[in-house]
Amino acid sequence: MSEEIQSLPDKAWARVRAKLRQEFGESVYRSWFKPLILRGVDGSKVELSAPTTFMQERIEAQYSDRINAIWKLESGGSITTLGITVLSASSSENFGLNNLELKQDSKTPLVSKNVKVDNPLEAALDSRFTFENFVVGKPNELAYAAAQRVAGSDDVNFNPLFLYGGVGLGKTHLMHSIAWEIRRRDPSRRVLYLSAEKFMYQFIRALRFKDTMAFKDQFRSVDVLMIDDVQFIGGKDSTQEEFFHTFNALVDQNRQVVVSADKSPNDLEGLEERLRSRLGWGLVADIHPTTYELRLGILQSKVEKIGVHVPIKVLEFLAHKITSNVRELEGAMNRITAHATLVGRDITLEATQEVLHDLLRAYDRRVTVEEIQRQVASHYQVRMGDMHSARRSRAVARPRQIAMYLSKQLTQHSLPDIGRRFGGRDHTTVLHAVKKVDELCAVDVGFKDDVEFLRRMLET
Ligand code: ADP
Ligand code: MG
């Protein structure tokens, strides 16, 4: 075979590996795909080799379909089958493979011994996410106080602590803060923090490899279990079931459980009733959308920390404009300071507007629920207060439903979130409004024109 021909599979293999890395993430890639070696291509079959039988079996069970599919794609359809063989230890050393992985026998899990990992399930904690770096304001004071209580006491006061709120409002930050604080106070307490997504992934993996016992043990031996973004397991029945049992086992042993989600236990979709109610047993603390004061406070604290001079006018401008969540606020701030450092110019209001030009334009076009309420109220000549009130007369209820409908259509807010902004109504009320307006639009042309008119007014 000439060198030229031989390099073709190599190139395809590089692309396949890049895809795998992208799809499964760095750590899965490093554990499972990086040690694979391309042996060659024989007709429409590609041969890969794994360093151990253990790896070969698991890759075949778990990843071979996907690897095969990607090969097919990357080879333009010329490769249709995949073979994975085991490379003998002596020959594999010639390929410069990591000896560590070669020594794995079929019983030890694949965790690199170079890194100290107490529990392979453990997700890394962000060193910036501490209580100290968390700015407290009205919208998050309850969640903050509850998190501090959990972190600062050895007794379990409420179980679980359930933190919820929209994206980018500080849930993960608070959870990491709890973990840091508990470890600082008592390094011997075992704290396990992980995302619900990872919990599910690991559970499915354990099922597939029939080692659910080990999986269960890993969870049931911790002192504090924290599961982030638990909405993720909605609709995934067997994972929910397992989570429910893990949860009960820990609570029974008086271990602390902390859970976060984007909605309250009641509003979580696809969750079994018993889990939903169990999650609401402890303390449920919500984080509200930010206020202007909190946004300004966060910006000030951030500026202090990075030690650049930013005029207060710029901070006020940002706090006023970037209202969606803290993550976007931080992003905007980072862009401004990065720009200033790069071009070596002072940060001014003009420069800020210039640098954030695209972001700000998107914001100016984004309609808020409040604007929708105002526009609809004025169109139907009802009071703004009626959007939040409990009055049920048709004259105010209908405009209110239209405003809910338009909020669902024109903003990114979820049904529960919209309900909250209409005087704390339930998400089913919003859902009902959306259906009702749709129905009326279908049968009443005049009504439909009205709604369309309002939509156009709000969109431009
Ligand atoms: P969530 O998990 O709710 O989506 P995160 O905890 O990831 O949100 O927060 C998003 C970003 O905003 C993080 O960088 C976090 O440090 C920051 N942040 C959120 N709330 C605050 C706060 N009150 N004080 C300081 N930083 C905050
Ligand atoms: Mg988060």
Side-chain angles (χ1 to χ4, degrees):
M1 224 193 274
S2 78
E3 264 181 39
E4 213 182 317
I5 297 171
Q6 216 168 10
S7 73
L8 280 176
D10 281 339
K11 279 186 186 156
W13 179 220
R15 291 197 301 273
V16 171
R17 297 216 285 185
K19 275 253 163 69
L20 290 168
R21 183 187 220 138
Q22 199 179 25
E23 199 169 308
F24 291 94
E26 189 62 32
S27 75
V28 173
Y29 173 79
R30 238 185 288 140
S31 310
W32 297 103
F33 305 130
K34 197 158 171 255
L36 293 177
I37 289 170
L38 174 67
R39 297 295 292 276
V41 172
D42 182 9
S44 63
K45 181 175 183 185
V46 62
E47 282 279 355
L48 301 177
S49 61
T52 61
T53 315
F54 168 78
M55 284 192 75
Q56 180 225 16
E57 283 171 0
R58 297 212 161 181
I59 288 166
E60 273 184 348
Q62 191 161 9
Y63 300 111
S64 63
D65 288 351
R66 198 54 205 141
I67 301 177
N68 200 14
I70 297 175
W71 261 107
K72 205 182 255 177
L73 203 72
E74 291 301 329
S75 65
S78 68
I79 284 175
T80 54
T81 42
L82 171 72
I84 301 176
T85 53
V86 185
L87 210 59
S88 70
S90 57
S91 60
S92 62
E93 265 158 7
N94 301 333
F95 290 90
L97 271 178
N98 186 345
N99 283 328
L100 227 166
E101 276 151 355
L102 290 172
K103 287 196 203 104
Q104 294 281 349
D105 66 40
S106 60
K107 284 187 192 71
T108 38
L110 257 167
V111 177
S112 165
K113 306 259 185 332
N114 296 330
V115 200
K116 190 180 165 290
V117 184
D118 293 334
N119 188 330
L121 293 168
E122 182 106 45
L125 295 176
D126 192 316
S127 61
R128 295 164 306 164
F129 290 179
T130 58
F131 282 129
E132 207 172 44
N133 290 341
F134 193 82
V135 180
V136 188
K138 260 242 148 334
N140 58 27
E141 63 185 4
L142 174 66
Y144 176 79
Q148 279 225 313
R149 173 73 74 85
V150 164
S153 89
D154 300 324
D155 304 326
V156 176
N157 295 301
F158 23 73
N159 223 353
L161 167 60
F162 188 102
L163 298 171
Y164 79 94
V167 289
L169 295 180
K171 299 183 295 294
T172 299
H173 189 135
L174 279 180
M175 290 186 105
H176 287 207
S177 304
I178 295 173
W180 285 123
E181 180 61 16
I182 292 177
R183 286 188 183 171
R184 192 188 64 74
R185 291 183 66 240
D186 181 358
S188 73
R189 281 181 89 191
R190 275 158 308 168
V191 183
L192 179 57
Y193 164 90
L194 79 165
S195 66
E197 190 173 3
K198 190 156 181 192
F199 179 91
M200 183 180 83
Y201 172 77
Q202 296 290 353
F203 173 60
I204 290 174
R205 209 174 123 143
L207 281 182
R208 194 168 294 168
F209 300 135
K210 303 190 172 49
D211 49 358
T212 47
M213 279 313 287
F215 175 84
K216 285 181 207 296
D217 286 347
Q218 278 171 317
F219 283 100
R220 294 178 189 181
S221 60
V222 302
D223 294 309
V224 183
L225 175 66
M226 301 203 247
I227 307 255
D228 206 350
D229 289 320
V230 82
Q231 72 273 4
F232 193 81
I233 62 169
K236 322 238 162 65
D237 293 345
S238 59
T239 305
Q240 271 190 47
E241 172 100 15
E242 182 57 29
F243 176 62
F244 183 70
H245 292 310
T246 306
F247 180 89
N248 284 336
L250 288 170
V251 171
D252 286 347
Q253 294 173 61
N254 211 24
R255 308 282 167 81
Q256 179 72 53
V257 179
V258 183
V259 170
S260 89
D262 65 349
K263 301 186 190 73
S264 75
N266 272 335
D267 288 329
L268 278 178
E269 284 142 33
L271 224 58
E272 264 183 69
E273 191 45 45
R274 55 176 189 170
L275 180 54
R276 195 199 300 276
S277 84
R278 192 79 210 247
L279 285 173
W281 273 14
L283 179 69
V284 177
D286 58 343
I287 308 185
H288 294 271
T290 57
T291 56
Y292 172 79
E293 290 73 24
L294 179 61
R295 291 194 293 273
L296 191 60
I298 289 171
L299 287 171
Q300 277 167 335
S301 119
K302 199 158 170 63
V303 165
E304 244 168 60
K305 224 150 270 149
I306 52 180
V308 270
H309 175 70
V310 183
I312 183 74
K313 275 261 152 312
V314 170
L315 300 183
E316 286 170 355
F317 174 76
L318 291 175
H320 178 69
K321 282 283 184 186
I322 316 237
T323 55
S324 57
N325 64 50
V326 185
R327 190 171 298 138
E328 290 203 18
L329 194 63
E330 283 186 339
M333 187 76 204
N334 289 341
R335 266 169 72 177
I336 298 164
T337 49
H339 179 83
T341 322
L342 280 174
V343 302
R345 250 193 286 144
D346 283 350
I347 297 170
T348 62
L349 195 53
E350 290 69 40
T352 299
Q353 280 168 315
E354 205 180 296
V355 173
L356 298 181
H357 164 82
D358 52 337
L359 187 73
L360 293 171
R361 218 184 42 204
Y363 264 95
D364 286 341
R365 277 204 308 256
R366 234 181 259 185
V367 208
T368 63
V369 171
E370 205 181 327
E371 278 170 74
I372 294 171
Q373 291 171 330
R374 200 175 306 121
Q375 189 74 246
V376 173
S378 104
H379 183 80
Y380 289 102
Q381 300 188 326
V382 297
R383 280 172 301 134
M384 184 67 175
D386 286 328
M387 291 292 156
H388 310 274
S389 78
R391 288 179 59 199
R392 282 157 174 256
S393 77
R394 170 79 57 89
V396 297
R398 193 68 84 219
R400 197 191 291 134
Q401 286 179 323
I402 293 172
M404 287 182 194
Y405 172 87
L406 289 168
S407 299
K408 182 64 199 145
Q409 301 252 308
L410 302 178
T411 74
Q412 302 295 316
H413 297 292
S414 62
L415 294 174
D417 202 8
I418 293 172
R420 273 199 288 280
R421 288 158 201 261
F422 281 82
R425 288 180 154 78
D426 196 73
H427 75 278
T428 52
T429 309
V430 184
L431 192 62
H432 174 73
V434 171
K435 284 198 186 130
K436 187 77 206 168
V437 172
D438 264 335
E439 274 168 32
L440 288 172
C441 282
V443 296
D444 183 343
V445 181
F447 181 85
K448 186 176 176 200
D449 284 348
D450 249 16
V451 175
E452 279 311 309
F453 169 78
L454 280 165
R455 184 210 300 276
R456 271 198 304 280
M457 292 281 290
L458 288 161
E459 269 177 342
T460 48

